Amino acid sequence: MAITKRTEEDKIEVVGEFKTIQVRTATVIEEDGVELSRSFSRHTVAPDSDSSGESADVKAMVAQFHTDTVKAAYTKHQEDNTPASE
């Protein structure tokens, strides 16, 4: 009777104007190869995020979608929507 726990990125998708990458990670608990439970966590990777700790699949998507043009537009959007300090 062996109980194991594993994680897997089971969904990676690109959404929105600024190509935000959403990553869903599944945590699977199994007993003798039979799945007992599965839970999910999510995180996002914005164009200005440090992606050095991401998986190879996410890094490939960052390289493809977070172009200099997208990064510049995202930065401008952030600046335009930051309240002015007094």
Side-chain angles (χ1 to χ4, degrees):
M1 179 152 59
I3 295 181
T4 59
K5 175 182 173 180
R6 63 182 170 83
T7 59
E8 60 185 44
E9 288 179 343
D10 69 333
K11 185 183 284 189
I12 303 171
E13 55 191 358
V14 179
V15 297
E17 177 183 355
F18 303 111
K19 311 298 185 205
T20 300
I21 298 170
Q22 296 183 141
V23 183
R24 184 175 81 174
T25 303
T27 301
V28 182
I29 308 296
E30 297 175 324
E31 182 176 3
D32 296 328
V34 177
E35 185 174 313
L36 300 177
S37 71
R38 180 180 293 253
S39 60
F40 301 100
S41 61
R42 292 172 164 63
H43 72 277
T44 60
V45 181
D48 65 346
S49 296
D50 176 12
S51 61
S52 63
E54 299 293 339
S55 69
D57 290 338
V58 173
K59 286 179 183 177
M61 294 187 79
V62 165
Q64 181 177 355
F65 292 102
H66 291 175
T67 63
D68 289 340
T69 303
V70 169
K71 289 178 184 180
Y74 182 75
T75 299
K76 183 174 180 346
H77 175 76
Q78 294 291 89
E79 290 168 354
D80 291 348
N81 290 288
T82 301
S85 60
E86 295 178 13

